[in-house]
């Protein structure tokens, strides 16, 4: 069995390893900063887009609700006009019936009085 030679860790090699670790962590730090910046930029863009979209939806909803309110007001005035017309017709019919009954009673009374 062959014995593997052990590497000797000299001060120069340790300093070199330390430098490579420092530069590696510095690169990772720069990557994280770039990722944070990119994420922040994307969230800002998404927030702005959502704000614009929500404003458009609110505006559209307000317009639609105003349209619906207008239609309901129109229907309400139509119904009021129809009820008023029906009320007028009912009053005229009842008035005509009362007049007919009154004329009938007057005729009956006149007939009875002329017979006596």
């Amino acid at each position: 069995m062959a014995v593997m030679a052990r590497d000797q860790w000299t001060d120069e090699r340790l300093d070199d390893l330390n430098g490579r670790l420092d530069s590696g962590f510095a690169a990772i730090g720069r990557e994280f900063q770039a990722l944070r910046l990119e994420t922040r930029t994307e969230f800002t863009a998404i927030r702005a887009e959502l704000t614009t979209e929500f404003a458009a939806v609110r505006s559209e909803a307000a317009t639609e609700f105003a349209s619906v309110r207008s239609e309901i007001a129109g229907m309400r005035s139509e119904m009021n006009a129809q009820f008023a017309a029906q009320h007028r017709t009912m009053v005229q019919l009842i008035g005509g019936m009362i007049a007919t009954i009154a004329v009938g009673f007057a005729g009956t009374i006149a007939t009875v009085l002329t017979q006596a």
Side-chain angles (χ1 to χ4, degrees):
M1 177 156 146
V3 175
M4 295 182 63
R6 286 176 44 148
D7 288 331
Q8 297 274 333
W9 287 97
T10 63
D11 285 345
E12 294 86 25
R13 289 188 67 198
L14 288 173
D15 288 341
D16 181 48
L17 177 62
N18 191 24
R20 285 187 291 163
L21 285 174
D22 285 345
S23 67
F25 281 121
I28 289 173
R30 286 190 301 273
E31 286 292 322
F32 276 131
Q33 285 178 341
L35 183 60
R36 278 191 201 121
L37 178 62
E38 181 181 349
T39 302
R40 192 174 297 129
T41 303
E42 287 296 320
F43 277 131
T44 301
I46 289 170
R47 190 174 291 132
E49 184 178 342
L50 286 175
T51 300
T52 302
E53 288 295 321
F54 283 139
V57 167
R58 282 188 190 125
S59 174
E60 185 178 340
T63 302
E64 289 298 320
F65 283 132
S67 173
V68 168
R69 283 187 191 115
S70 174
E71 286 181 33
I72 289 173
M75 289 170 46
R76 187 176 292 152
S77 76
E78 277 183 40
M79 288 173 57
N80 286 340
Q82 287 177 355
F83 286 142
Q86 288 176 350
H87 183 264
R88 220 177 3 263
T89 303
M90 293 288 286
V91 167
Q92 289 172 349
L93 284 173
I94 291 171
M97 290 171 63
I98 290 172
T100 302
I101 291 170
V103 169
F105 280 138
T108 303
I109 291 171
T111 304
V112 169
L113 289 176
T114 56
Q115 298 280 332

